[in-house]
């Protein structure tokens, strides 16, 4: 029987696991889950991992992986070696009964949604992490730990955990500030609020350009793509380049003093007003 | 280092884009700009340049990009090669990487290939990895702060929750984040030297590819449908801080 091979890395996506199980059933494929977490820990060389994985794909009809930074390097390498079509960062997947995969992904800063079919025998896609909801009661085949491979063509000599903040791509709640915050001090205040509610701090590009926040906090087409359960946009106008990075959020709250700011059209809840006054009120209430 | 290759893509400058009946970009109707992340690749290449290093820019796209690419000479780029051919049009990332790899093979020995981590139009970010696989060399993606190291290069890799400092052997591919470098301005001397230089245009045949390997024909993915309605529109209900509090607590 042909396989649907799900490759999980250091940060497995349980929602994708659930989706993969559904796709395997509809497409009459055998689900196989392979974890490369050990290999990722053993070597920084993604090309060595991709090379090694080729041998695991003999029965694969579909190969999926969450679009983490490392798997977004490993999957293209594997796809090239298999001469297989690969669709990046999908936000929707469907399959026919004959195992033809239909992949949906946004392009052009979200102004387009494209549906893509793969013509090669092996169909590959990476999926934006957090796109599909997980099912804690789901039953899945046991995850196989893929034998760690070794290479020192790329070596990690230091790893700096981002302290204090959890990375924004993993956060359940993100409080994101824009140019409207007005100062570095204002951003510190926003950060304190974020930490108080257990959120990570994000930022628009203008806020990063103004030096309020580090680039690693930038959300958008030239920053991180995030899909938290709750995204709170504070003093952010809602440019398409910013929306591209956060439209996958489950719930969006916008705080902006301009009632005509586009961000309100992309928010589930909004408050019009000065951000500092509103954050002060929230801090008192929480 | 002998030769450093920087891969550059020209992308539509407008926020709005036009598509043809095949859901392909109408590249003829839009003005172009250098892809933002690729500016980092060009600057990093120029920054690593030593007396005997040649910096080559490799691009693929319509011939009308030539004028924009020509400007790179004034920054100190030594050679610009543009792969341009109708047969190359409509390529997915696999076919693009195949063409770029074939182009690279025509450029002679190199130390490293620098790319932007993704393009603003298609946003796949797959080319650096696929190009490295095509050439069978290692790659580092999401890089910043590229420097010379004892046996190759060192750079930082931005992961989800950590920043790594890596060393990588040569030859290799490194993809760089947007804004990790600020592209220099042309000097007067540079402008003068640029006058004698010309973008070299190569066709699919020049780089040894046949039609089946290129463009739409050589691609393994096919866009079957496009929705132009921007997703993500929501219905906003305006509320007070008390109500927001409830929503935040609900998620915590
Ligand atoms: C190629 C390209 C790539 C880009 N990539 C990105 C990207 O990845 N991410 C990104 O975010 N942007 C990106 N941009 C920039 C984007 O187009 C916008 O310029 C940017 O997102 C705007 O940031 P902002 O909302 O913080 O600032 P502004 O647009 O200046 O908005 C500030 C907002 O704050 C509000 N405000 C002001 N004072 C207050 C107050 N006291 N209280 C409450 N609200 C207040 C204002 O009403 C306004 O709506 C990109 C642009 C280009 C061209």
């Amino acid at each position: 029987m042909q396989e649907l091979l799900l490759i999980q890395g250091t940060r497995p996506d349980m929602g994708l696991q659930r989706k993969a199980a559904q796709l395997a059933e509809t497409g009459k494929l055998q689900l196989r889950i392979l974890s490369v977490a050990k290999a990722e820990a053993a070597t920084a060389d993604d090309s060595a991992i991709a090379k090694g994985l080729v041998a695991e794909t003999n029965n694969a009809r579909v190969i999926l992986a969450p679009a983490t930074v490392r798997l977004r390097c490993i999957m293209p390498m594997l796809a090239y070696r298999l001469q297989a079509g690969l669709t990046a960062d999908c936000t929707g997947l469907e399959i026919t009964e004959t195992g033809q995969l239909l992949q949906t992904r946004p392009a052009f800063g979200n102004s387009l949604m494209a549906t893509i079919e793969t013509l090669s025998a092996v169909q590959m896609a990476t999926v934006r992490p957090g796109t599909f909801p997980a099912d804690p009661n789901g039953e899945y085949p046991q995850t196989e730990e893929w034998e760690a491979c070794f290479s020192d063509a790329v070596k990690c000599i230091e790893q700096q955990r981002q302290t204090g903040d959890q990375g924004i791509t993993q956060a359940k709640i993100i409080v994101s500030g824009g140019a409207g915050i007005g100062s570095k001090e204002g951003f510190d205040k926003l950060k304190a609020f974020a930490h108080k509610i257990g959120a990570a701090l994000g930022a628009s590009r203008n806020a990063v350009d103004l030096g309020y926040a580090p680039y690693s906090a930038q959300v958008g087409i030239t920053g991180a793509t995030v899909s938290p359960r709750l995204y709170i946009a504070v003093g952010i106008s809602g440019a398409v380049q910013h929306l591209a990075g956060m439209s996958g959020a489950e719930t969006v709250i916008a705080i902006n003093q301009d009632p005509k700011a586009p961000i309100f059209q992309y928010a589930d809840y909004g408050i019009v007003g000065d951000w500092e006054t509103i954050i002060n009120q929230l801090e008192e209430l929480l | 280092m002998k030769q450093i290759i920087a891969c550059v893509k020209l992308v539509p400058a407008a926020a709005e884009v036009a598509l043809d009946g095949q859901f392909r970009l109408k590249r003829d109707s839009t003005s172009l700009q250098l892809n933002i992340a690729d500016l980092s690749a060009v600057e990093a290449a120029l920054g690593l340049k030593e007396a005997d290093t040649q910096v080559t820019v490799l691009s693929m796209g319509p011939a009308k990009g030539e004028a924009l690419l020509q400007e790179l000479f004034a920054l100190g780029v030594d050679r610009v090669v543009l792969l341009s051919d109708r047969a190359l049009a409509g390529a997915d990332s696999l076919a693009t990487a195949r063409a770029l790899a074939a182009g690279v093979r025509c450029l002679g020995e190199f130390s490293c290939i620098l790319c932007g981590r993704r393009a603003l139009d298609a946003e796949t970010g797959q080319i650096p990895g696929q190009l490295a696989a095509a050439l069978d060399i290692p790659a580092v993606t999401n890089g910043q702060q590229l420097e010379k190291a004892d046996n190759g290069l060192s750079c930082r890799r931005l992961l989800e929750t950590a920043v790594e400092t890596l060393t990588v052997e040569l030859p290799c591919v490194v993809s760089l984040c947007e804004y990790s470098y600020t592209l220099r301005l042309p000097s007067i001397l540079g402008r003068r030297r640029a006058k004698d230089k010309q973008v070299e245009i190569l066709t699919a045949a020049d780089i040894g590819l046949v039609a089946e390997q290129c463009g739409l024909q050589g691609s393994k993915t096919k866009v079957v449908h496009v929705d132009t309605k921007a997703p993500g529109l929501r219905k906003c209900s305006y509320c007070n801080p008390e109500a927001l509090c409830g929503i935040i607590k609900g998620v915590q």
Side-chain angles (χ1 to χ4, degrees), chain A residues 51-212:
Chain A
K51 227 184 269 188
L53 280 174
V54 171
E56 303 295 331
T57 61
N58 295 335
N59 299 322
R61 170 98 171 98
V62 174
I63 307 177
L64 302 177
T68 61
V69 172
R70 296 214 43 194
L71 283 165
R72 293 268 269 122
C73 184
I74 293 168
M75 287 285 276
M77 292 174 149
L78 182 59
Y80 198 89
R81 291 186 180 276
L82 300 176
Q83 288 290 296
L86 168 64
T87 305
D89 236 353
C90 297
T91 54
L93 290 175
E94 277 173 59
I95 200 163
T96 67
E97 282 176 12
T98 54
Q100 178 75 50
L101 193 66
L102 289 171
Q103 307 136 53
T104 312
R105 71 180 299 262
F108 286 100
N110 273 13
S111 61
L112 297 179
M113 285 300 270
T115 305
I116 294 161
E117 263 182 28
T118 309
L119 310 170
S120 50
V122 182
Q123 311 168 85
M124 298 177 67
T126 57
V127 177
R128 199 168 279 192
T131 296
F132 302 109
D135 174 11
N137 303 318
E139 283 187 20
Y140 307 104
Q142 188 164 5
T143 301
E144 299 168 43
E145 285 291 340
W146 190 60
E147 189 98 349
C149 65
F150 185 76
S151 156
D152 58 6
V154 182
K155 249 193 301 216
C156 180
I157 47 181
E158 196 196 330
Q159 195 182 56
Q160 242 182 319
R161 295 250 135 218
Q162 281 164 344
T163 47
D165 261 325
Q166 45 187 149
I168 49 171
T169 48
Q170 292 293 302
K172 202 160 75 170
I173 307 178
I174 296 174
V175 175
S176 217
I181 300 304
S183 68
K184 181 95 178 66
E185 292 68 45
F187 239 84
D188 289 342
K189 182 173 173 134
L190 194 66
K191 188 172 183 176
F193 171 71
H195 285 173
K196 195 164 163 192
I197 64 166
L201 186 73
S204 72
R205 177 167 129 195
N206 283 12
V208 172
D209 284 351
L210 289 163
Y212 298 169

Side-chain angles (χ1 to χ4, degrees), chain A residues 11 43-47 51 67-70 72-73 75-81 83-89 102-103 105-120 124 126 128-129 152-162 166-170 172-173 193 196-198 205 209 215-216 218 220-225 229-230 232 240-241 244 246-255 259 264-272 278 281-282 285-286, chain B residues 11-12 14-19 23 25 27 35-37 92-99 101-102 105 117-142 144 151 154-170 172-173 177-180 216-252:
Chain A
R11 41 195 74 255
T43 178
D45 184 2
D46 293 332
S47 55
K51 227 184 269 188
T68 61
V69 172
R70 296 214 43 194
R72 293 268 269 122
C73 184
M75 287 285 276
M77 292 174 149
L78 182 59
Y80 198 89
R81 291 186 180 276
Q83 288 290 296
L86 168 64
T87 305
D89 236 353
L102 289 171
Q103 307 136 53
R105 71 180 299 262
F108 286 100
N110 273 13
S111 61
L112 297 179
M113 285 300 270
T115 305
I116 294 161
E117 263 182 28
T118 309
L119 310 170
S120 50
M124 298 177 67
T126 57
R128 199 168 279 192
D152 58 6
V154 182
K155 249 193 301 216
C156 180
I157 47 181
E158 196 196 330
Q159 195 182 56
Q160 242 182 319
R161 295 250 135 218
Q162 281 164 344
Q166 45 187 149
I168 49 171
T169 48
Q170 292 293 302
K172 202 160 75 170
I173 307 178
F193 171 71
K196 195 164 163 192
I197 64 166
R205 177 167 129 195
D209 284 351
Y215 174 69
S216 57
Q218 183 173 316
I221 189 173
T222 49
T225 303
R229 290 198 51 204
L230 180 63
I232 309 178
V240 323
Q241 293 89 354
M246 46 65 76
S247 60
E250 202 172 296
T251 303
V252 177
I253 296 176
I255 299 175
F264 287 118
Q265 290 179 281
Y266 297 88
D268 303 289
Y269 302 96
I271 301 192
V272 179
I278 294 163
Q281 285 170 323
L282 283 174
L285 288 165
L286 279 160
Chain B
V11 296
E16 305 281 303
V17 292
L19 297 181
F23 306 127
L25 270 184
R27 296 207 183 259
N35 179 47
I36 298 202
D92 69 354
S93 65
L94 187 78
T96 302
R98 190 186 293 129
R105 289 194 191 96
R117 69 165 167 174
R118 66 182 156 186
L120 281 171
D121 51 357
E123 292 172 44
T124 76
Q126 293 178 168
I127 297 295
Q130 289 180 320
L131 180 57
L135 297 166
D136 202 17
I137 56 179
V140 172
T141 50
N142 253 24
Q144 295 175 326
N151 303 318
S154 82
C155 74
R156 282 150 58 96
R157 173 161 68 183
L158 203 63
L159 295 181
E160 283 85 356
T161 56
V163 180
E164 294 177 325
T165 305
L166 305 175
T167 57
V168 51
E169 285 174 4
L170 303 179
C172 64
V173 174
C177 294
E178 300 86 357
Y179 316 115
S180 48
L216 208 54
Q217 273 198 68
S219 297
K220 299 285 191 216
T221 55
K222 186 175 171 214
V223 177
V224 290
H225 180 76
V226 166
D227 247 334
T228 40
K229 208 172 76 232
L233 274 178
R234 300 172 193 237
K235 207 173 151 347
C236 184
S237 33
Y238 293 89
C239 57
N240 55 21
E242 284 79 13
L244 276 199
C245 238
I247 295 158
I248 293 169
K249 281 193 180 137
V251 176
Q252 279 174 325

